[in-house]
């Protein structure tokens, strides 16, 4: 929002305050200033002059030599090629050593042998257009017709190009500040000055609006209020200079008096307005309704728009005339032959306007205000102000009466004023009288101990909002610094430490971390060969996705990792070892929010990486994270993975995840032309199975007893099952168990294998006897026999 300081002065006198001081004070009180700019700041040493004499250049057919009076004792000579300059004309004169917009520097010189001590300026050379000065000729010298100008006067002052524009960043919860009056209220409260905001009044009216127009609102939930007034015998003409200056300072191009009035009121009150040409309102009736299926409208920009039934339109008895809150229709604008105008001042449902504008691909000044939900109470002051300006500019005759269809709830909000809570919440001590004084100057009223905010402050809903208003005008800089309360220190939680440890262990093993998007395409599940009906396909669907490729929240991170591996492989990286700690989103029946679970995903391919290197990385990770008792069980029922090179990780009956080689068909889907490997672990489950902190263990006092076992078993018997049987059978005296040989050959029968283990046993309180060691070995052999393994002879 650009604020003209001249315009602001109409409503509040802030005194001799520089733009910098004004900006700093407003920012400190909560109205953030992005910056400020002084109009015409690039124009220097350009004065008002009068052409006293003009003669043709002796050596040129198209140039003239002018003697110009700039209020100094001597005339200055300037050579010009403009054809519209005459004796007695007042013109902008760029003197020797002057500056123009764009960094153009003017110095004296000679043109065709004749001395020229400056330059006569056009509109464009001053950074202006014919919209700023409609009487001026665009392709010639700017012939001044401004009253009360003086010879030698600075051109910026003479033509009103000396305003200061302050740019505010307005947050979406403060649509009232998207107006001069809203910022004037903030300035008055900030500088503790009185606010002068008179109610607009229309002095003279003719006829009655109900003789020419009726209004019907068929969608009261989307149109909270619709107010209309009428003006007849319109005289289309340029706006006066003061109005053009304020519109220009606010970044709006002047067009004509009627259009400029609607823009002026929008900037002044924050209420978008529209002017309908009455002769195009068929049946003399305005109907506010939802669009019909298949209905179209050609908007003011000349584009045909396809409407849908959820869009609100302003229609006449036959057709839509405007998209409510967004843009008018092709025939709703002001033409040169317009004679009777309907001023529309309405309040529409903010979310509805936003949805409509987005669907139509349009974002206008009007929609950007309406979508923030305006105050229904300002429609009448805004339309009254428009009619007042019509009278002031002599732009037509205001028709008597007003049509006001009001569907809004004007019940004032009530917020309890709790001084003790506010002081504790803010960490300050403000007397209740000071609180009431601050709220009163913000136009809040009181009913006992309840605060009644004004209707235009829709952001004040809770006691915390009241506390914020008190804090910003008490002064944020006056709030003392205090130590943070609640958390005693800034340490990480055990769960955060666990996650950091996982990162450190994986990085230490040479893996690189990646981060992928949480939203994916449903087609990803086809690429990893998940069957229809698989529970992973039950996803959280995004309501407004960027596209089909990002339309659902992932239930597994494996496709995301395979995408990264595929990208690396196809960029000719010979090998890759990557990991990600990211979330999956699992829908929970009966709950609005999904279950977000962190997963550790490891992916690798290339030279030096195989199933066993992946298993080693996972084992190191589990060891460092103190997850003990993990068992590996072969799995062949997962379609994403190779049926012969896939294992589930479990602790007791709880599954931790999987390690596997990716199925060749899945690799082909991802265009990975080599073997790829994936580990997929559930981080919360790992955290739940962390063993207690390891303590100090003294060096053993007693000697160990060693035994070796060479066992013959079926080829299909997993070594892990044999290890488990030995550990359970030997018991607490088993110190280490190591596999040191697996043999298949001529001395072993077909379908058999020889497996050799080395056992170390030790007791903490005594020296083990040979009898105790042999008994333990016998128990182990009995347990192995139950699995079909026997001592090799």
């Amino acid at each position: 929002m650009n604020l003209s300081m001249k315009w602001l002065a109409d409503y509040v006198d802030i005194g001799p305050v520089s733009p910098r001081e004004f900006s700093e004070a407003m920012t400190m009180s909560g109205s953030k200033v992005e910056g400020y700019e002084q109009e015409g700041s690039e124009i220097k040493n350009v004065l008002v002059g009068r052409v006293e004499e003009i003669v043709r250049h002796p050596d040129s057919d198209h140039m003239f030599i002018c003697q110009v009076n700039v209020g100094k004792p001597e005339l200055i000579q300037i050579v010009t090629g403009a054809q519209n300059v005459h004796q007695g004309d007042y013109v902008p004169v760029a003197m020797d050593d002057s500056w123009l917009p764009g960094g153009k520097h003017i110095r004296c010189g000679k043109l065709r042998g004749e001395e020229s001590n400056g330059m006569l300026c056009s509109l464009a050379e001053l950074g202006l257009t014919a919209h700023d000065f409609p009487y001026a000729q665009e392709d010639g010298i700017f012939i001044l017709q401004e009253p009360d100008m003086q010879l030698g006067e600075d051109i910026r002052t003479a033509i009103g190009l000396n305003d200061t524009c302050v740019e505010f960043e307005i947050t979406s919860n403060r649509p009232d500040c998207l107006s001069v009056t809203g910022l004037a209220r903030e300035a008055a409260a900030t500088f503790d000055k009185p606010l002068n905001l008179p109610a607009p009044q229309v002095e003279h009216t003719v006829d009655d609006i109900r003789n020419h127009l009726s209004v019907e609102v068929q969608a009261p939930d989307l149109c909270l209020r619709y107010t209309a007034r009428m003006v007849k015998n319109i005289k289309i003409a340029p706006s006066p200079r003061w109005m053009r200056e304020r519109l220009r300072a606010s970044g709006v191009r002047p067009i004509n008096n009627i259009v400029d009035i609607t823009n002026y009121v929008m900037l002044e009150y924050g209420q978008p307005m529209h002017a309908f040409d009455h002769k195009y309102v068929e049946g003399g009736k305005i109907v506010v309704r939802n669009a019909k299926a298949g209905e179209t409208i050609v908007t003011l920009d000349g584009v045909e728009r396809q409407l849908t039934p959820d869009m609100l339109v302003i229609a006449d008895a036959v057709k839509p005339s405007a998209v409510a809150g967004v843009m008018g229709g092709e025939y709703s604008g002001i033409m040169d032959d317009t004679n009777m105008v309907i001023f529309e001042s309405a309040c529409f449902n903010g979310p509805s306007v936003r949805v409509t504008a987005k669907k139509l691909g349009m974002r206008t000044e009007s929609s950007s205000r309406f979508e923030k939900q305006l105050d229904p109470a300002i429609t009448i002051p805004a339309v009254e102000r428009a009619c007042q300006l019509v009278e002031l500019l002599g732009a037509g005759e205001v028709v008597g009466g007003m049509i006001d269809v009001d569907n809004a709830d004007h019940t004032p909000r009530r917020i309890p004023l709790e001084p003790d809570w506010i002081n504790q919440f803010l960490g300050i001590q403000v007397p209740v009288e000071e609180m009431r004084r601050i709220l009163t100057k913000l136009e809040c009223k009181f009913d006992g101990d309840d605060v009644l905010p004004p209707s235009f402050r829709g952001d004040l809903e809770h006691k915390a909002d009241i506390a914020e208003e008190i804090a910003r005008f008490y002064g944020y800089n006056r709030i003392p610094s205090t130590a943070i309360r609640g958390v005693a220190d800034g340490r990480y939680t055990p769960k955060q430490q666990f996650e950091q440890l996982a990162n450190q262990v994986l990085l230490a093993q040479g893996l690189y971390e990646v981060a992928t998007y949480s939203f994916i395409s449903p087609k990803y599940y086809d690429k990893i060969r998940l069957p229809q009906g698989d529970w992973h396909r039950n996803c959280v669907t995004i309501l407004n996705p960027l596209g089909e490729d990002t339309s659902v929240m992932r239930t597994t991170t494996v496709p995301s990792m395979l995408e990264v591996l595929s990208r690396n492989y196809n960029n000719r990286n010979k090998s890759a070892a990557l990991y990600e700690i990211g979330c999956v989103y699992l829908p929970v029946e009966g709950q609005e929010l999904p279950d977000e679970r962190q997963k550790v995903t490891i992916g690798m391919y290339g030279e030096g990486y195989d199933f066993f290197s992946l298993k080693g990385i996972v084992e190191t990770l589990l060891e460092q994270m103190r997850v003990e008792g993990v068992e590996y069980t072969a799995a062949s029922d997962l379609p994403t993975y190779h049926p012969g090179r896939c294992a589930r990780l479990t602790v007791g009956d709880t599954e931790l995840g999987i390690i596997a080689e990716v199925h060749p068909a899945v690799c082909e889907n991802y265009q990975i032309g080599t073997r790829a490997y994936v580990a997929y672990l559930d981080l919360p489950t790992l955290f739940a199975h962390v063993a207690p902190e390891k303590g100090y263990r003294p060096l053993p006092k007693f000697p160990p007893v060693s035994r070796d076992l060479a066992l013959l078993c079926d080829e299909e018997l997993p070594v892990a099952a044999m290890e488990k049987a030995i550990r359970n059978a030997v018991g607490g005296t088993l110190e280490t168990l190591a596999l040191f040989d697996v043999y298949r050959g001529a001395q072993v029968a077909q379908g058999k294998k020889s497996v050799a283990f080395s056992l170390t046993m030790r007791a903490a309180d005594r020296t083990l006897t040979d009898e105790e060691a042999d008994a333990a070995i016998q128990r182990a052999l009995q347990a192995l026999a139950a699995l079909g393994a026997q001592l090799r002879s």
Side-chain angles (χ1 to χ4, degrees), residues 216-523:
E216 179 185 358
V217 176
Q218 296 180 357
D221 55 327
L222 300 181
C223 179
L224 305 183
R225 194 168 193 174
Y226 194 94
T227 307
R229 289 208 67 169
M230 186 176 288
V231 179
K232 66 179 184 180
N233 297 327
I234 292 293
K235 303 177 183 66
I236 303 295
S239 299
R241 173 180 146 177
W242 62 267
M243 180 175 282
R244 299 197 307 270
E245 284 180 8
R246 294 182 177 186
L247 291 175
R248 181 182 66 230
S250 301
V252 176
R253 185 184 69 179
I255 298 175
N256 61 50
N257 51 3
I258 299 300
V259 175
D260 290 351
I261 284 172
T262 60
N263 287 332
Y264 189 91
V265 172
M266 179 181 69
L267 293 170
E268 188 173 39
Y269 282 80
Q271 171 65 47
M273 294 189 62
H274 191 70
F276 290 98
D277 190 333
H278 181 264
K279 67 175 176 287
Y280 292 113
V281 179
E282 295 192 39
K285 183 177 183 179
I286 287 178
V287 181
V288 184
R289 59 172 173 82
N290 288 89
K292 300 174 183 176
E295 208 165 26
T296 62
I297 185 174
V298 178
T299 47
L300 282 170
D301 55 4
V303 178
E304 184 176 9
R305 313 279 180 178
Q306 185 71 42
L307 304 176
T308 57
D310 60 335
M311 297 179 182
L312 189 69
V313 296
I314 311 301
D316 55 26
V318 177
K319 64 186 184 306
S321 299
V323 182
V326 182
M327 185 179 284
E330 183 178 23
Y331 295 105
S332 68
I334 304 303
M335 314 294 181
D336 291 339
D337 62 344
T338 296
N339 182 61
M340 188 176 290
V341 163
I342 303 164
F343 281 131
E344 170 195 277
S345 178
C347 181
F348 303 112
N349 176 270
S352 171
V353 173
R354 169 127 179 115
V355 170
T356 298
K358 186 174 181 180
K359 283 186 177 180
L360 295 178
M362 305 167 70
R363 190 112 194 281
T364 62
E365 281 284 344
S366 175
S367 69
S368 67
R369 284 172 162 79
F370 276 123
E371 67 189 25
K372 296 174 177 63
Q373 197 54 68
L374 300 181
D375 175 19
I378 64 172
T379 61
I380 290 181
V383 77
E384 290 285 84
R385 177 60 166 159
C387 293
Q388 183 185 40
L389 289 171
V390 168
E391 275 195 335
L392 183 64
L393 272 57
E397 297 176 340
V398 179
V399 175
M402 175 192 301
I403 296 177
D404 181 30
V405 182
D406 189 359
N407 301 309
D409 180 8
H410 297 282
T411 305
R413 297 182 302 280
R414 307 178 73 90
I415 306 172
L417 180 63
E418 301 180 15
D420 293 338
W421 183 89
I422 291 172
N423 282 327
Q424 182 181 8
F425 180 68
L426 298 176
I428 56 179
Q429 290 299 322
V430 180
V432 64
E433 295 78 12
E434 176 66 9
M435 292 184 182
R436 285 178 172 265
R437 189 189 71 82
I438 290 173
L439 295 172
T440 299
K441 70 180 182 180
L442 293 174
E443 301 186 36
C444 293
K445 300 185 183 304
F446 292 91
D447 183 5
D449 291 332
D450 288 343
V451 181
L452 279 60
S455 61
F456 56 82
R457 289 301 304 273
D459 60 309
L460 300 184
E461 297 179 332
H462 309 287
K463 59 182 179 181
D465 301 324
I466 297 298
E468 180 186 4
E469 297 303 295
I470 292 169
R472 67 192 187 100
F473 288 106
Y474 172 78
Y476 291 126
N477 56 327
R478 296 173 60 190
I479 298 177
S481 300
T482 57
I484 188 170
R485 298 192 300 270
V487 181
D489 52 44
R491 289 181 296 180
Y492 290 108
T493 65
K495 188 174 182 181
Q496 290 172 323
Q497 292 175 341
F498 187 73
E499 181 183 342
Q500 283 193 329
L501 177 61
N503 272 292
Q504 293 167 2
V505 173
L506 292 171
L507 287 171
Q509 296 186 83
L511 278 70
Y512 289 90
E513 184 178 12
V514 299
T516 58
Y517 289 119
S518 298
F519 31 84
I520 62 172
S521 168
K523 296 179 181 177

Side-chain angles (χ1 to χ4, degrees), residues 173-251:
N173 67 326
R174 290 300 304 274
D176 59 299
C177 286
L178 288 170
S179 65
V180 177
T181 55
L183 291 173
R185 289 188 181 100
E186 290 293 306
T190 299
F191 292 93
D192 207 8
K193 300 289 185 179
L195 178 68
N196 176 31
L197 190 58
Q201 294 184 350
V202 179
E203 300 293 337
H204 306 286
T205 60
V206 296
D207 202 352
D208 190 286
I209 187 173
R210 290 171 179 79
N211 296 331
H212 308 276
L213 182 70
S214 63
V215 174
E216 179 185 358
V217 176
Q218 296 180 357
D221 55 327
L222 300 181
C223 179
L224 305 183
R225 194 168 193 174
Y226 194 94
T227 307
R229 289 208 67 169
M230 186 176 288
V231 179
K232 66 179 184 180
N233 297 327
I234 292 293
K235 303 177 183 66
I236 303 295
S239 299
R241 173 180 146 177
W242 62 267
M243 180 175 282
R244 299 197 307 270
E245 284 180 8
R246 294 182 177 186
L247 291 175
R248 181 182 66 230
S250 301

Side-chain angles (χ1 to χ4, degrees), residues 5 26 102 122 126-127 136 190 393 499 510 559 570 576 582-583 595:
M5 294 300 289
M26 293 294 285
S122 66
L126 295 174
T190 299
L393 272 57
E499 181 183 342
N570 288 286
C583 284
D595 177 20

Side-chain angles (χ1 to χ4, degrees), residues 529-552:
R529 302 178 71 240
L530 288 185
Q532 296 297 325
D534 189 283
W535 68 268
H536 287 92
R537 291 181 179 269
N538 181 24
C539 304
V540 175
T541 303
I542 300 173
L543 294 178
N544 57 341
L546 298 174
E548 185 184 1
D549 290 345
T550 55
S551 60
V552 298

